[in-house]
Amino acid sequence: MSKPLRRSRRLRQWRDDEGNDVEEPASKKPSPDKKIQASQLQGLPQQGVRSLDGLPDELLLSVCQYCHERDLCRLAQVSKRLNRISSDKTLWKRLFTAVFEMPVAFDLDLRSSKSAMSLPPSPTVSSRISPTDSDCSVRSLSSPLAGPVVDWKSQFRTMHGSYHVSPPISDFSRAHRHQLPRQYFERLSDALASCPVTSVLDDAMERQMIVVHPGTYCEHVIVDRPVVIVGAGNVTLTSLTGRVVEFRPQARNSVLAHVTVKGGLPLDSSDVPPYYCIDISSSCCPIVQDCTVISSADGGACLYVHGSGACPVVEDCRVCDSESVGIYVDDGATGLYFNNDIFNNKLAGVWIRNLAAPIFRRNKVHHGRDVGFFVFDRGQGLLEANTVSENRIAGVEVKNEANPIVLKNNICNGKTGGVYIHDSGRGQFIENQIFGNQYAGVWITSDSNPTLKGNKIYNGKQGGVYIFSNGRGLLESNDIYGNTLAGVQIRSGSNPLVRRNKIHNGCHGGIYIHDGGMGTVEENEIYCNTLAGVWVTTGSQPVLRRNRIHSGKQVGVYFYDKGGGVLEDNEIYNHKYSGVQIRSQSNPHVRNNKIWGGSNGGILIYNEGQGVIEDNEVFENALAGIWIKKESTPLLRRNKIHHGYECGLCVFESGQGLIEDNDIFCNATIGVLINSGSKPTLRGNRIYSCGTFGLEVINEAGIVTSNIHMIWVDVEKGTSCSICCTTYIGGLIENN
């Protein structure tokens, strides 16, 4: 098409197809087809149609669609009206997509990695903008509102000044290829070598942009200067050497965006060092955005970040299908990794080790063939708001003095456990949701000492928290419920502090302490569990203090098989069986508790059970307040046993023990019943206001009593005696 350069009142100057200037008189008649078009414009004189000023904006805009960018720039200098029309966004959007073969635009106002590290949880590199977005607007990932309208002319200017990389044979803009700048290359390495090298250590410095057009590029790319490398379509970078893209310290705040980095080694490469698709070394802070990283090598990682000062920003990437590790952060490296999709990696989705302290936010780490996050060998860092799901081993594994902060993550549906902390692992696990895992929600073992606060641990196919083999740690203010086995299990010398948790609605017991387990369990609410609220067995010696243990479907606290420890200052109530059961040579110290509402008694001691039961208040229980049976020998001292629905204290089936200084009163039937060959010792008790007898000894039972005070009957209820002895009894009653 002919291109107008300038016009005057009486003369127009034109350029023909060969580029020669020709003159046309102003009186030249228009062609017949143009006459028809002019006649359709109502209200315009014939002279107005022959002038550009007389044409409507729509028609001028249609004409400008046939112009190249240089022509539009010249038109913009003619008049204000042509400046406005030639700057129309639809013209420049058409040119942008046609010349650069890019269906999307970019917000190129990239922040530095240092500023990104200081921001709250929000992305630092703006996303690509799809042309389907309404009004072609830039959408900020840190805000739900749309940003400013895309300046397609400015986008074109930036891309026009960029370096371009395209394969030797491609469909790249053949109609506009003569207008490309001179910076055109067939290899990305050649484009990098042509970029200027600067020694200015400024993160805000100008970075040369390199646009990589669709194709596959097989080369080892070394980024040793500040550049922006952007893929403009289906771009794949690959290499058969040990690296595909390598960022060196001089790269500083370079950018790699919208490409696929695919690594793999030939079959005869067993002696090749570990393979890393993207290697980010010390003192280097690049931005990696919207990339797909895949490695088929047996060793190494898709993304390797290592060395002091290595601090990348990795956003919206897919790290997947690796035959090794997904992301490996090592040797004191840091960085911000967010909104990435990390899946189907053979080893861990993420490795963090050796004082590395990265920040992982809002990532999806799932369907791994090993663990999700593996933090080890003094690794640190922050894992926040990630979804870690359906990994073959644990969702998060911490070992060897690693100490991460794991905050507000969803760790779920693991093929084994949710969180596995072992071999002196530490860490802070705060406000996570850990659920639906095949084994325990959290495992703590081998001298590990983590902190778990404010987590929800629920619906596990086995237990909630499993602490064993000298595990320690603090479990505080967690909500643990709906697990198939115990909510908390403590065994084999483990000694945690379990404080202010809710442990409820389990399909098994609430807390299960066995095989020499210890620990301090205090100020928890343990309720509505299918089995015992707390089990203490096989030589375990915990301290249970100031807990509310209630509404269980069996026993409140169950000591058996030589279980021991201290049970003090608890409220134990409304259980389907007894509030406390002690059996099988168990010998706990039960003191200062309130035990009421048991459907099968308050405290049941049987099968050679022992223990010191003192200073408790036992009341309003069905059957007996305290049962002693089958050769059990406890010490009951200074308890208040009252308002039972049957008797206060029942000793039978060869029960024994010392019962002294107790207040037994206001029970519905008998104060103390001794039956079936039992021979306890009663000393200094106060038994009064009972429904029938204060003390009844029957069926070959025996008794040794002394200094029993204030045995009397309730005359209004019609009871007739304080002591009833029937059948054969033995023993001694004195000084009462």
Side-chain angles (χ1 to χ4, degrees), residues 77-95:
Q77 301 176 30
V78 174
S79 67
K80 291 183 178 180
R81 182 179 179 224
L82 288 178
N83 182 286
R84 174 175 54 81
I85 294 173
S86 62
S87 299
D88 187 87
K89 64 182 180 182
T90 59
L91 297 175
W92 290 99
K93 177 184 175 183
R94 182 189 63 82
L95 280 172

PDB file of all heavy atoms in Angstrom, residues 77-95:
ATOM      1  N   GLN A  77       3.263  12.129  14.313  1.00  0.00           N
ATOM      2  CA  GLN A  77       3.898  13.436  14.353  1.00  0.00           C
ATOM      3  C   GLN A  77       3.197  14.471  13.473  1.00  0.00           C
ATOM      4  O   GLN A  77       3.600  15.630  13.436  1.00  0.00           O
ATOM      5  CB  GLN A  77       5.360  13.301  13.921  1.00  0.00           C
ATOM      6  CG  GLN A  77       6.163  12.355  14.807  1.00  0.00           C
ATOM      7  CD  GLN A  77       7.584  12.168  14.311  1.00  0.00           C
ATOM      8  OE1 GLN A  77       8.157  13.065  13.700  1.00  0.00           O
ATOM      9  NE2 GLN A  77       8.137  11.000  14.587  1.00  0.00           N
ATOM     10  N   VAL A  78       2.144  14.063  12.759  1.00  0.00           N
ATOM     11  CA  VAL A  78       1.475  14.967  11.830  1.00  0.00           C
ATOM     12  C   VAL A  78       0.537  15.917  12.553  1.00  0.00           C
ATOM     13  O   VAL A  78       0.577  17.139  12.370  1.00  0.00           O
ATOM     14  CB  VAL A  78       0.716  14.155  10.761  1.00  0.00           C
ATOM     15  CG1 VAL A  78      -0.117  15.076   9.861  1.00  0.00           C
ATOM     16  CG2 VAL A  78       1.691  13.342   9.927  1.00  0.00           C
ATOM     17  N   SER A  79      -0.330  15.362  13.393  1.00  0.00           N
ATOM     18  CA  SER A  79      -1.308  16.195  14.098  1.00  0.00           C
ATOM     19  C   SER A  79      -1.731  15.485  15.374  1.00  0.00           C
ATOM     20  O   SER A  79      -1.455  14.302  15.572  1.00  0.00           O
ATOM     21  CB  SER A  79      -2.538  16.450  13.213  1.00  0.00           C
ATOM     22  OG  SER A  79      -3.248  15.246  12.992  1.00  0.00           O
ATOM     23  N   LYS A  80      -2.418  16.247  16.223  1.00  0.00           N
ATOM     24  CA  LYS A  80      -2.895  15.652  17.463  1.00  0.00           C
ATOM     25  C   LYS A  80      -3.899  14.538  17.193  1.00  0.00           C
ATOM     26  O   LYS A  80      -3.916  13.517  17.871  1.00  0.00           O
ATOM     27  CB  LYS A  80      -3.531  16.715  18.350  1.00  0.00           C
ATOM     28  CG  LYS A  80      -2.551  17.714  18.921  1.00  0.00           C
ATOM     29  CD  LYS A  80      -3.253  18.703  19.845  1.00  0.00           C
ATOM     30  CE  LYS A  80      -2.264  19.679  20.443  1.00  0.00           C
ATOM     31  NZ  LYS A  80      -2.931  20.658  21.345  1.00  0.00           N
ATOM     32  N   ARG A  81      -4.744  14.746  16.182  1.00  0.00           N
ATOM     33  CA  ARG A  81      -5.754  13.738  15.875  1.00  0.00           C
ATOM     34  C   ARG A  81      -5.108  12.451  15.386  1.00  0.00           C
ATOM     35  O   ARG A  81      -5.444  11.346  15.826  1.00  0.00           O
ATOM     36  CB  ARG A  81      -6.720  14.292  14.820  1.00  0.00           C
ATOM     37  CG  ARG A  81      -7.848  13.306  14.492  1.00  0.00           C
ATOM     38  CD  ARG A  81      -8.802  13.895  13.476  1.00  0.00           C
ATOM     39  NE  ARG A  81      -9.855  12.959  13.157  1.00  0.00           N
ATOM     40  CZ  ARG A  81     -10.305  12.700  11.940  1.00  0.00           C
ATOM     41  NH1 ARG A  81      -9.773  13.338  10.902  1.00  0.00           N
ATOM     42  NH2 ARG A  81     -11.283  11.840  11.743  1.00  0.00           N
ATOM     43  N   LEU A  82      -4.164  12.571  14.454  1.00  0.00           N
ATOM     44  CA  LEU A  82      -3.488  11.370  13.963  1.00  0.00           C
ATOM     45  C   LEU A  82      -2.618  10.736  15.049  1.00  0.00           C
ATOM     46  O   LEU A  82      -2.421   9.526  15.064  1.00  0.00           O
ATOM     47  CB  LEU A  82      -2.650  11.716  12.736  1.00  0.00           C
ATOM     48  CG  LEU A  82      -3.447  12.015  11.463  1.00  0.00           C
ATOM     49  CD1 LEU A  82      -2.507  12.393  10.321  1.00  0.00           C
ATOM     50  CD2 LEU A  82      -4.300  10.817  11.068  1.00  0.00           C
ATOM     51  N   ASN A  83      -2.104  11.557  15.947  1.00  0.00           N
ATOM     52  CA  ASN A  83      -1.347  11.009  17.069  1.00  0.00           C
ATOM     53  C   ASN A  83      -2.243  10.118  17.928  1.00  0.00           C
ATOM     54  O   ASN A  83      -1.856   9.017  18.342  1.00  0.00           O
ATOM     55  CB  ASN A  83      -0.768  12.143  17.900  1.00  0.00           C
ATOM     56  CG  ASN A  83       0.074  11.644  19.057  1.00  0.00           C
ATOM     57  OD1 ASN A  83      -0.447  11.149  20.038  1.00  0.00           O
ATOM     58  ND2 ASN A  83       1.383  11.810  18.926  1.00  0.00           N
ATOM     59  N   ARG A  84      -3.466  10.605  18.163  1.00  0.00           N
ATOM     60  CA  ARG A  84      -4.399   9.825  18.980  1.00  0.00           C
ATOM     61  C   ARG A  84      -4.822   8.543  18.267  1.00  0.00           C
ATOM     62  O   ARG A  84      -4.848   7.465  18.860  1.00  0.00           O
ATOM     63  CB  ARG A  84      -5.621  10.676  19.308  1.00  0.00           C
ATOM     64  CG  ARG A  84      -6.736   9.936  20.026  1.00  0.00           C
ATOM     65  CD  ARG A  84      -7.850  10.888  20.431  1.00  0.00           C
ATOM     66  NE  ARG A  84      -8.361  11.652  19.311  1.00  0.00           N
ATOM     67  CZ  ARG A  84      -9.255  11.192  18.424  1.00  0.00           C
ATOM     68  NH1 ARG A  84      -9.710   9.961  18.532  1.00  0.00           N
ATOM     69  NH2 ARG A  84      -9.669  11.964  17.449  1.00  0.00           N
ATOM     70  N   ILE A  85      -5.112   8.648  16.969  1.00  0.00           N
ATOM     71  CA  ILE A  85      -5.582   7.475  16.218  1.00  0.00           C
ATOM     72  C   ILE A  85      -4.463   6.452  16.051  1.00  0.00           C
ATOM     73  O   ILE A  85      -4.653   5.248  16.219  1.00  0.00           O
ATOM     74  CB  ILE A  85      -6.152   7.918  14.855  1.00  0.00           C
ATOM     75  CG1 ILE A  85      -7.419   8.748  15.070  1.00  0.00           C
ATOM     76  CG2 ILE A  85      -6.431   6.719  13.970  1.00  0.00           C
ATOM     77  CD1 ILE A  85      -7.970   9.368  13.802  1.00  0.00           C
ATOM     78  N   SER A  86      -3.268   6.923  15.729  1.00  0.00           N
ATOM     79  CA  SER A  86      -2.157   5.990  15.504  1.00  0.00           C
ATOM     80  C   SER A  86      -1.644   5.354  16.787  1.00  0.00           C
ATOM     81  O   SER A  86      -0.873   4.387  16.737  1.00  0.00           O
ATOM     82  CB  SER A  86      -1.005   6.719  14.807  1.00  0.00           C
ATOM     83  OG  SER A  86      -0.512   7.764  15.631  1.00  0.00           O
ATOM     84  N   SER A  87      -2.067   5.870  17.925  1.00  0.00           N
ATOM     85  CA  SER A  87      -1.673   5.264  19.198  1.00  0.00           C
ATOM     86  C   SER A  87      -2.743   4.324  19.745  1.00  0.00           C
ATOM     87  O   SER A  87      -2.638   3.872  20.885  1.00  0.00           O
ATOM     88  CB  SER A  87      -1.393   6.362  20.231  1.00  0.00           C
ATOM     89  OG  SER A  87      -0.340   7.196  19.814  1.00  0.00           O
ATOM     90  N   ASP A  88      -3.762   4.037  18.935  1.00  0.00           N
ATOM     91  CA  ASP A  88      -4.843   3.171  19.408  1.00  0.00           C
ATOM     92  C   ASP A  88      -4.287   1.804  19.810  1.00  0.00           C
ATOM     93  O   ASP A  88      -3.441   1.218  19.112  1.00  0.00           O
ATOM     94  CB  ASP A  88      -5.883   3.014  18.303  1.00  0.00           C
ATOM     95  CG  ASP A  88      -7.111   2.272  18.783  1.00  0.00           C
ATOM     96  OD1 ASP A  88      -8.020   2.920  19.315  1.00  0.00           O
ATOM     97  OD2 ASP A  88      -7.133   1.031  18.648  1.00  0.00           O
ATOM     98  N   LYS A  89      -4.791   1.281  20.926  1.00  0.00           N
ATOM     99  CA  LYS A  89      -4.231   0.043  21.483  1.00  0.00           C
ATOM    100  C   LYS A  89      -4.459  -1.155  20.564  1.00  0.00           C
ATOM    101  O   LYS A  89      -3.638  -2.087  20.527  1.00  0.00           O
ATOM    102  CB  LYS A  89      -4.823  -0.236  22.860  1.00  0.00           C
ATOM    103  CG  LYS A  89      -6.314  -0.507  22.860  1.00  0.00           C
ATOM    104  CD  LYS A  89      -6.840  -0.737  24.266  1.00  0.00           C
ATOM    105  CE  LYS A  89      -8.344  -1.019  24.243  1.00  0.00           C
ATOM    106  NZ  LYS A  89      -8.882  -1.187  25.602  1.00  0.00           N
ATOM    107  N   THR A  90      -5.571  -1.148  19.791  1.00  0.00           N
ATOM    108  CA  THR A  90      -5.822  -2.297  18.914  1.00  0.00           C
ATOM    109  C   THR A  90      -4.784  -2.387  17.800  1.00  0.00           C
ATOM    110  O   THR A  90      -4.424  -3.481  17.361  1.00  0.00           O
ATOM    111  CB  THR A  90      -7.230  -2.195  18.319  1.00  0.00           C
ATOM    112  OG1 THR A  90      -7.354  -0.973  17.583  1.00  0.00           O
ATOM    113  CG2 THR A  90      -8.282  -2.229  19.421  1.00  0.00           C
ATOM    114  N   LEU A  91      -4.306  -1.223  17.300  1.00  0.00           N
ATOM    115  CA  LEU A  91      -3.264  -1.233  16.266  1.00  0.00           C
ATOM    116  C   LEU A  91      -1.979  -1.850  16.796  1.00  0.00           C
ATOM    117  O   LEU A  91      -1.370  -2.730  16.158  1.00  0.00           O
ATOM    118  CB  LEU A  91      -3.005   0.192  15.775  1.00  0.00           C
ATOM    119  CG  LEU A  91      -4.165   0.927  15.092  1.00  0.00           C
ATOM    120  CD1 LEU A  91      -3.754   2.361  14.799  1.00  0.00           C
ATOM    121  CD2 LEU A  91      -4.581   0.199  13.819  1.00  0.00           C
ATOM    122  N   TRP A  92      -1.583  -1.407  17.978  1.00  0.00           N
ATOM    123  CA  TRP A  92      -0.304  -1.873  18.521  1.00  0.00           C
ATOM    124  C   TRP A  92      -0.408  -3.299  19.057  1.00  0.00           C
ATOM    125  O   TRP A  92       0.572  -4.034  19.040  1.00  0.00           O
ATOM    126  CB  TRP A  92       0.175  -0.914  19.599  1.00  0.00           C
ATOM    127  CG  TRP A  92       0.592   0.398  19.010  1.00  0.00           C
ATOM    128  CD1 TRP A  92      -0.125   1.544  18.960  1.00  0.00           C
ATOM    129  CD2 TRP A  92       1.816   0.652  18.329  1.00  0.00           C
ATOM    130  NE1 TRP A  92       0.577   2.536  18.303  1.00  0.00           N
ATOM    131  CE2 TRP A  92       1.788   2.007  17.905  1.00  0.00           C
ATOM    132  CE3 TRP A  92       2.941  -0.119  18.037  1.00  0.00           C
ATOM    133  CZ2 TRP A  92       2.827   2.592  17.211  1.00  0.00           C
ATOM    134  CZ3 TRP A  92       3.986   0.468  17.332  1.00  0.00           C
ATOM    135  CH2 TRP A  92       3.927   1.811  16.929  1.00  0.00           C
ATOM    136  N   LYS A  93      -1.580  -3.682  19.523  1.00  0.00           N
ATOM    137  CA  LYS A  93      -1.755  -5.083  19.935  1.00  0.00           C
ATOM    138  C   LYS A  93      -1.626  -6.015  18.729  1.00  0.00           C
ATOM    139  O   LYS A  93      -0.984  -7.073  18.798  1.00  0.00           O
ATOM    140  CB  LYS A  93      -3.116  -5.255  20.598  1.00  0.00           C
ATOM    141  CG  LYS A  93      -3.409  -6.696  20.999  1.00  0.00           C
ATOM    142  CD  LYS A  93      -4.813  -6.834  21.574  1.00  0.00           C
ATOM    143  CE  LYS A  93      -5.142  -8.289  21.848  1.00  0.00           C
ATOM    144  NZ  LYS A  93      -6.514  -8.471  22.340  1.00  0.00           N
ATOM    145  N   ARG A  94      -2.221  -5.582  17.562  1.00  0.00           N
ATOM    146  CA  ARG A  94      -2.111  -6.401  16.349  1.00  0.00           C
ATOM    147  C   ARG A  94      -0.662  -6.515  15.902  1.00  0.00           C
ATOM    148  O   ARG A  94      -0.181  -7.606  15.565  1.00  0.00           O
ATOM    149  CB  ARG A  94      -2.969  -5.776  15.240  1.00  0.00           C
ATOM    150  CG  ARG A  94      -2.981  -6.575  13.935  1.00  0.00           C
ATOM    151  CD  ARG A  94      -3.654  -5.776  12.833  1.00  0.00           C
ATOM    152  NE  ARG A  94      -2.926  -4.557  12.527  1.00  0.00           N
ATOM    153  CZ  ARG A  94      -1.859  -4.499  11.719  1.00  0.00           C
ATOM    154  NH1 ARG A  94      -1.405  -5.598  11.143  1.00  0.00           N
ATOM    155  NH2 ARG A  94      -1.248  -3.356  11.499  1.00  0.00           N
ATOM    156  N   LEU A  95       0.034  -5.402  15.948  1.00  0.00           N
ATOM    157  CA  LEU A  95       1.444  -5.446  15.566  1.00  0.00           C
ATOM    158  C   LEU A  95       2.260  -6.304  16.531  1.00  0.00           C
ATOM    159  O   LEU A  95       3.130  -7.083  16.117  1.00  0.00           O
ATOM    160  CB  LEU A  95       2.008  -4.022  15.534  1.00  0.00           C
ATOM    161  CG  LEU A  95       1.690  -3.189  14.284  1.00  0.00           C
ATOM    162  CD1 LEU A  95       2.153  -1.763  14.488  1.00  0.00           C
ATOM    163  CD2 LEU A  95       2.353  -3.808  13.065  1.00  0.00           C
TER     164      LEU A  95
END
